[in-house]
Amino acid sequence: MIEEKIIPLYIPYPDSNEERLVRVFIPEHEAGETFPVIYMTDGQNLFEDNHVEFGCWYTRETIRDEKKATGKAAIIVGIHNDGDPMERTNELTPLTIGELACPEELKLQITPQGEIFDDFVVNRVMPVIEKDFPVELGRNATAICGSSSGGLQAFFTALNHPDLFCAAGVLSPAFVIYTPEDLRDWIHSKLQPVLPYLYIYSGAGDDQEKLIYQSTEWTYEILEECYPPEKLNEVILFEMPHHETAWEQIFKDFLHIYLERRAEF
């Protein structure tokens, strides 16, 4: 039996001189065993509680519990977004969905670069993971997940590459940054015969999450107009805040559904 481990990688980031930290969690496994994979934003908050302000998803513990309960597990690829908050917002906000609908002073601070992050995941991170780690290959073994701006980015990347991702965990997504009209147009432009399963979650337990909830509701209504109903799942927990403590809990449900049903997606 090979013990679980976290392996740090430094991968060159597009249009930059920097290398980005990517940490890969591999569950305990037998030699030759392979796992489905979940690519996740905010890798700095996934494995241990280093950030008192933000908290932790405790994904290692969730994977262990799922493996104990069902015999199934996944590799987690945690991509760090641990620059200053505005840098994180920039790299997890796509430009091509539409014009920003936030207040003017905030617009002046945001330079949307989600397409660059999308390119980084698909063309730089994924090839390394698929070459050097015990991942099961193929669309039905590949998912993406994130929260807040990361939830928006997971939604964007999954719909941008439905041939690569069978599922997306879209948790507390920052849809509020766009108008419903622009989101509707963008979603319709991405409709294809094969589409990823979308697990869309929101709370409403604090002021920020209430705004997220409102925009999640109207985005879900847009999706219901045009998206295969069997590929949609909306979960609302009204008491939950905009915080890792909420995403830690909801990730357990997303993980279980992905591992149990991915062959259907």
Side-chain angles (χ1 to χ4, degrees):
M1 182 70 69
I2 301 171
E3 293 184 356
E4 68 175 45
K5 62 181 71 175
I6 293 177
I7 298 177
L9 306 173
Y10 291 88
I11 300 176
Y13 199 76
D15 299 340
S16 168
N17 293 322
E18 73 169 71
E19 290 187 321
R20 179 63 55 92
L21 176 59
V22 176
R23 293 191 294 166
V24 184
F25 171 68
I26 307 171
E28 182 182 72
H29 62 286
E30 301 285 352
E33 186 177 6
T34 60
F35 296 94
V37 60
I38 307 176
Y39 295 89
M40 298 184 67
T41 65
D42 292 300
Q44 69 277 4
N45 295 335
L46 297 181
F47 304 119
E48 62 280 305
D49 198 354
N50 287 336
H51 299 260
V52 175
E53 180 181 354
F54 301 109
C56 179
W57 290 50
Y58 298 107
T59 56
R60 281 186 297 190
E61 290 80 358
T62 295
I63 296 290
R64 289 175 198 152
D65 290 345
E66 183 68 24
K67 194 169 192 292
K68 184 176 180 180
T70 69
K72 298 178 180 179
I75 285 176
I76 302 294
V77 179
I79 302 167
H80 278 229
N81 303 101
D82 51 357
D84 66 59
M86 193 53 63
E87 179 184 343
R88 175 186 176 275
T89 298
N90 288 343
E91 65 190 23
L92 299 177
T93 301
L95 175 66
T96 50
I97 291 178
E99 293 190 16
L100 301 183
C102 52
E104 194 63 34
E105 61 271 21
L106 186 56
K107 282 186 188 180
L108 295 175
Q109 300 178 55
I110 299 176
T111 305
Q113 299 169 2
E115 288 75 10
I116 298 174
F117 188 83
D118 177 84
D119 174 56
F120 179 63
V121 173
V122 169
N123 294 315
R124 302 204 180 190
V125 178
M126 289 180 66
V128 172
I129 300 303
E130 293 179 352
K131 176 178 177 290
D132 296 337
F133 292 87
V135 298
E136 181 182 335
L137 300 179
R139 176 184 180 274
N140 289 100
T142 310
I144 188 166
C145 181
S147 64
S148 195
S149 295
L152 169 64
Q153 186 67 35
F155 177 78
F156 175 83
T157 292
L159 284 181
N160 228 19
H161 305 280
D163 56 323
L164 300 180
F165 298 94
C166 75
V170 183
L171 312 185
S172 302
F175 293 138
V176 68
I177 206 163
Y178 305 105
T179 67
E181 294 76 21
D182 280 347
L183 261 171
R184 177 179 283 106
D185 289 345
W186 186 82
I187 289 169
H188 277 268
S189 77
K190 294 298 175 179
L191 297 178
Q192 297 190 32
V194 177
L195 291 164
Y197 168 81
L198 300 177
Y199 185 106
I200 300 177
Y201 157 79
S202 175
D206 56 27
D207 289 344
Q208 186 172 4
E209 196 71 1
K210 286 175 182 175
L211 291 174
I212 294 289
Y213 165 70
Q214 292 169 3
S215 61
T216 298
E217 284 291 274
W218 50 249
T219 303
Y220 197 79
E221 289 174 4
I222 293 169
L223 288 163
E224 286 183 310
E225 298 169 2
C226 60
Y227 210 85
E230 70 275 11
K231 295 288 187 76
L232 287 175
N233 184 12
E234 183 185 36
V235 177
I236 305 294
L237 299 177
F238 289 99
E239 73 279 11
M240 299 304 284
H242 193 78
H243 194 267
E244 275 73 10
T245 51
W247 305 321
E248 173 202 352
Q249 294 302 314
I250 207 67
F251 176 71
K252 297 175 183 179
D253 191 41
F254 170 69
L255 173 71
H256 180 73
I257 291 173
Y258 167 57
L259 293 180
E260 290 292 328
R261 296 181 52 200
R262 61 192 179 87
E264 306 169 20
F265 302 151

